[in-house]
Amino acid sequence: AEIKELRGEHQLRRELKLDDTVRVIDDVQGDTLEIIATFEPGTAAAYGMMVRRADDGERAVKIRFDGMQMHITGADPTEVFGSEQGTPELPRPGGDFHVPFSLLPDEKTLTLRVFIDKCAFELYVNGRACFSRAIYSPLEDVGVAVFADGGSAVVKSLDLWTMKPIW
């Protein structure tokens, strides 16, 4: 109930067909957002979304699922913490990470629920995995996009809300 009180403007998209393409969600931008995206895999080698995306698409926090792993990349595009990748025991803050994840036999879709609050990023996947990290995107990077690589996928539903400050 508390989350609903923080929600601002709502946008809903359904049945967005992606065929080896990126689709920018033009009328939704921000650095405080809640997004719930449900994907039907199709033939794509990978699919997902980009948040805190630059207008030219050169920078973004990219959430990519390839059937075997969740890849979260681009959290530190200007290398605030340098270019060293760190070690598996001590990853560099803002560094890319890749985590094993696959759909269960009874799961036909992938649902990503993303919360962005300026430099905080939380991702919930199919209600059973959670990823959290700080992101270091330039202030002007506020775009959102969905994509499919190497084939087709369908965004069955895409709910996007701007979020009000908690204070």
Side-chain angles (χ1 to χ4, degrees), residues 37-50:
T38 299
F39 292 84
E40 192 174 78
T43 63
Y47 52 91
M49 76 168 81
M50 292 178 261

Side-chain angles (χ1 to χ4, degrees), residues 18-134:
L18 305 171
D19 190 14
D20 202 22
T21 190
V22 173
R23 181 176 293 185
V24 175
I25 310 302
D26 288 318
D27 54 343
V28 177
Q29 294 189 336
D31 59 5
T32 54
L33 298 171
E34 177 187 1
I35 304 169
I36 302 174
T38 299
F39 292 84
E40 192 174 78
T43 63
Y47 52 91
M49 76 168 81
M50 292 178 261
V51 296
R52 295 299 306 258
R53 182 181 182 277
D55 285 341
D56 62 6
E58 290 295 315
R59 293 180 307 272
V61 176
K62 190 172 189 176
I63 307 158
R64 183 177 185 269
F65 178 60
D66 65 9
M68 300 297 290
Q69 289 189 321
M70 292 297 307
H71 305 271
I72 292 88
T73 60
D76 186 11
T78 58
E79 299 183 339
V80 168
F81 286 95
S83 60
E84 296 295 319
Q85 285 300 309
T87 67
E89 297 81 28
L90 185 61
R92 178 179 63 84
D96 298 343
F97 66 95
H98 313 278
V99 180
F101 186 89
S102 59
L103 295 177
L104 297 175
D106 64 332
E107 293 177 322
K108 306 300 179 212
T109 59
L110 181 79
T111 298
L112 305 176
R113 185 173 187 187
V114 177
F115 291 93
I116 299 177
D117 186 0
K118 307 287 184 192
C119 65
F121 169 87
E122 291 183 15
L123 168 65
Y124 299 87
V125 185
N126 279 22
R128 59 184 176 87
C130 174
F131 307 96
S132 176
R133 69 178 312 112

